[in-house]
Amino acid sequence: MNLLLLEAADMVAADRAVVRDRRLTHIHEVHRAEAGERLRVGLLGGDMGMARLLRLTPDEAELAIELDRAPPAKLPVTLLLALPRPKMLRRVLQTVAAMGVPRLILLNSYRVEKSFWQTPFLEPQAIREQLLLGLEQARDTMLPEVVIEKRFKPFVEDRLPALAAGTRGLLGHPGDHPPCPRALNEPVTLAIGPEGGWIPYEVEKLAAAGLQPVQLGERILRVETAVSALLARLF
C-alpha cells in the first residue's frame, strides 16, 4: 500500500479522517506507525497529499490530512478485454487500475468458458476491492470504469464502432500482423483476447469495427502479461 486511500465516509471533518478496517491493520503491521508520523494519503475520487497521525489505537486511527495535488493523469485508452479466468481477473483488475486505464470493458468470447461469468469476483464490490488495491499500489485516487458486456456480436456490431470512433483502434492478436506501435500520442481503443486468442470470426468482426490487428512477437503471453506489455509499449 503506497497510498492510504480515504473515502468520504472516513471524513469526520474537512481536514480529519478516521480509518478502521484493513487500512488500520496496514498502519499497525506494515507501517508500524506511531502518533505524529506522516503518511501519504489520497481521497478516493479526489486529490492526494499527506496526513499526520494524530491518534492510533487498536480500533482506529485518526488523521489530520492536507490534500494539495491532483492524482496522476490517466492513459488515453479504452481497454476491451475478453473475460479472463477468475483468479487472473483479480490480478488484471489491479494491473488496469495501477497502470492508469480509465475504462475497462469485459467482453465475452468463444474461448471464454461460460462458468467464468458465474464467478463472485464479478460482483461490483469484488471488482471495486481489486481496483482499490491497484490504486493504492500506483498512488492514484480515480477508479476506472468497468463495463460488462456478455454478448459479443451485439456489442461489437452496435456499440464498438461509435466507441472506437476518433481513436486508434488496435487488436492484440498473435500472427502475421504489423508490430504493435510504440509511444502513441493519441486516444486508443485496445482489444485483448482470452487465453488461446480470438477466433477468426471475432478478429473479423473487431476489424470491421475499426480495430487493426497487431502483434508483440512470436511469444504467446498470458492475458495479464499481454495487458501490461501492450500498455507499456503503447504509452
Side-chain angles (χ1 to χ4, degrees):
M1 184 186 294
N2 296 317
L3 184 75
L4 181 65
L5 268 178
L6 306 172
E7 302 195 35
D10 301 319
M11 304 302 296
V12 296
D15 61 349
R16 293 285 189 280
V18 173
V19 298
R20 301 177 180 89
D21 60 49
R22 67 176 181 85
R23 296 167 298 172
L24 176 64
T25 302
H26 193 89
I27 292 172
H28 276 292
E29 298 181 0
V30 179
H31 286 293
R32 299 183 183 275
E34 298 179 353
E37 292 189 26
R38 291 170 62 81
L39 303 171
R40 293 182 183 275
V41 297
L43 181 62
L44 190 64
D47 288 341
M48 306 188 304
M50 300 296 295
R52 183 165 56 88
L53 189 54
L54 299 175
R55 179 173 54 87
L56 181 63
T57 73
D59 300 316
E60 62 184 27
E62 183 178 1
L63 302 160
I65 66 172
E66 182 178 350
L67 306 177
D68 56 5
R69 60 184 178 276
K74 294 294 189 185
L75 299 178
V77 63
T78 293
L79 178 60
L80 173 60
L81 184 66
L83 181 67
R85 62 183 63 252
K87 288 185 178 180
M88 187 177 292
L89 172 63
R90 291 183 295 175
R91 298 194 296 269
V92 168
L93 289 169
Q94 292 182 36
T95 298
V96 164
M99 296 196 72
V101 173
R103 180 194 287 176
L104 169 66
I105 299 173
L106 295 171
L107 180 63
N108 199 16
S109 167
Y110 180 81
R111 291 193 171 111
V112 171
E113 296 182 21
K114 292 182 179 180
S115 62
F116 291 2
W117 292 104
Q118 308 305 316
T119 177
F121 298 144
L122 278 176
E123 293 295 324
Q125 184 58 34
I127 290 175
R128 189 176 189 272
E129 288 174 1
Q130 300 307 314
L131 296 177
L132 289 175
L133 292 175
L135 294 182
E136 291 170 351
Q137 171 64 37
R139 294 181 182 168
D140 192 359
T141 64
M142 307 302 291
L143 280 168
E145 175 190 7
V146 178
V147 179
I148 295 176
E149 293 283 354
K150 293 185 178 181
R151 300 177 65 199
F152 177 87
K153 184 178 179 181
F155 170 75
V156 172
E157 289 186 345
D158 300 337
R159 293 186 288 283
L160 181 56
L163 185 149
T167 74
R168 179 84 170 266
L170 299 173
L171 167 61
H173 189 64
D176 187 18
H177 307 299
C180 180
R182 294 179 181 270
L184 296 181
N185 189 25
E186 60 185 312
V188 172
T189 300
L190 172 65
I192 300 176
E195 292 185 18
W198 305 102
I199 64 172
Y201 167 82
E202 293 167 345
V203 172
E204 180 182 340
K205 286 292 185 182
L206 290 164
L211 276 59
Q212 175 194 6
V214 295
Q215 48 85 14
L216 280 173
E218 296 180 0
R219 299 180 186 273
I220 304 300
L221 305 177
R222 292 182 181 274
V223 172
E224 59 187 311
T225 306
V227 169
S228 298
L230 283 165
L231 290 176
R233 183 177 178 117
L234 287 170
F235 303 105

